[in-house]
Amino acid sequence: MIVISNSFVVDNEIKILHSLFDEGLSLLHIRKPDFSELEMAQFIHQIKLEFRDNVVLHSHHHLAKDFGINRLHFSEKERKRLNAFPERFLKPCRSKSTSTHSIEDFNSLENFDYAFLSPVFKSISKENYYPEKDLFEKIKSRKNQQTKMVALGGIDSENIQKILEKGFDDTALLGTIWKNKNPLKQFKLCQKIALMYSQSQV
């Protein structure tokens, strides 16, 4: 299961993140679009070394090597310029991910390990951000089997099983974690439901 950081600073954020990792969080996407290079470096520095391998960097990619991070995420805009990125950013990169907003864009991807496809439901974290089309219908035309399809947008404990049943490979949580009074409790609930579904498919 993937968790995306809140865009803004959260009280006790690093403590919460460490608790999520302790409970089995597999990947943390650090998305802080307004952070300066210094602010990003200070934020990453607070994350324990043992968890750095589970961190995915959305911006200031050049900091990755200094902090032992080898997972990078590229926005839709960056993806279109990816060929212009210096090789030194990509060579040590163990995993590359990106964001898409249509099945057509997802199907056209090459050389990405996984991609967010959003929004699946009305966003919890963004106002007036909701799907214009039924993505569950759209993903029936999936052709790209090399890239993992990760659902994003409006995902919580009430709909996470449906998402997995409908064909998504994984889920990314954002609003349901950071808009909740108890982020850890909500994460564990979503994790439990996803795990139970996964075990039922074996």
Side-chain angles (χ1 to χ4, degrees):
M1 188 171 291
I2 296 169
V3 167
I4 302 174
S5 71
N6 197 339
S7 299
F8 307 103
V9 175
V10 176
D11 289 341
N12 299 313
E13 187 169 7
I14 297 298
K15 183 179 179 180
I16 293 170
L17 293 178
H18 284 159
S19 296
L20 294 176
F21 280 127
D22 286 335
E23 288 297 331
L25 173 61
S26 57
L27 291 175
L28 168 69
H29 278 244
I30 299 181
R31 181 180 177 275
K32 301 283 188 182
D34 295 329
F35 267 23
S36 66
E37 179 180 337
L38 177 59
E39 288 171 324
M40 181 62 75
Q42 291 173 333
F43 185 84
I44 298 171
H45 182 71
Q46 296 177 76
I47 297 175
K48 293 179 181 178
L49 286 172
E50 63 193 272
F51 299 134
R52 299 276 178 85
D53 193 45
N54 304 91
V55 167
V56 185
L57 204 54
H58 276 232
S59 59
H60 302 295
H61 292 143
H62 55 281
L63 293 175
K65 186 176 181 181
D66 291 341
F67 287 96
I69 295 172
N70 53 21
R71 301 176 187 272
L72 302 179
H73 183 89
F74 298 89
S75 68
E76 201 166 28
K77 184 178 179 180
E78 289 172 324
R79 184 176 73 246
K80 293 173 181 178
R81 298 187 287 110
L82 193 55
N83 290 336
F85 272 73
E87 239 348 88
R88 62 193 177 87
F89 287 168
L90 300 178
K91 268 191 176 179
C93 186
R94 173 180 170 185
S95 171
K96 294 198 301 292
S97 59
T98 188
S99 300
T100 61
H101 298 90
S102 72
I103 189 62
E104 291 78 16
D105 279 349
F106 178 85
N107 283 335
S108 69
L109 294 176
E110 294 181 1
N111 303 317
F112 283 94
D113 298 277
Y114 62 94
F116 297 145
L117 180 57
S118 69
V120 182
F121 299 109
K122 184 179 184 299
S123 176
I124 300 170
S125 59
K126 295 180 182 178
E127 288 187 15
N128 302 315
Y129 187 54
Y130 50 85
E132 295 179 2
K133 300 176 182 178
D134 184 347
L135 280 183
F136 294 128
E137 273 300 311
K138 288 293 182 180
I139 65 173
K140 291 179 181 178
S141 60
R142 176 181 182 177
K143 296 175 183 177
N144 183 348
Q145 300 297 331
Q146 304 303 312
T147 306
K148 283 180 64 177
M149 182 187 291
V150 180
L152 174 63
I155 300 169
D156 58 24
S157 57
E158 294 183 4
N159 58 34
I160 193 168
Q161 182 169 325
K162 178 181 179 180
I163 287 168
L164 298 173
E165 289 174 344
K166 292 291 186 177
F168 280 92
D169 300 311
D170 205 344
T171 58
L173 307 178
L174 202 169
T176 193
I177 298 296
W178 303 110
K179 292 283 186 178
N180 197 286
K181 291 181 179 179
N182 191 328
L184 181 60
K185 183 178 180 180
Q186 182 66 1
F187 171 77
K188 290 170 70 174
L189 178 58
C190 291
Q191 181 188 53
K192 181 179 180 180
I193 294 169
L195 184 59
M196 288 175 64
Y197 174 77
S198 176
Q199 291 175 340
S200 72
Q201 301 305 299
V202 177

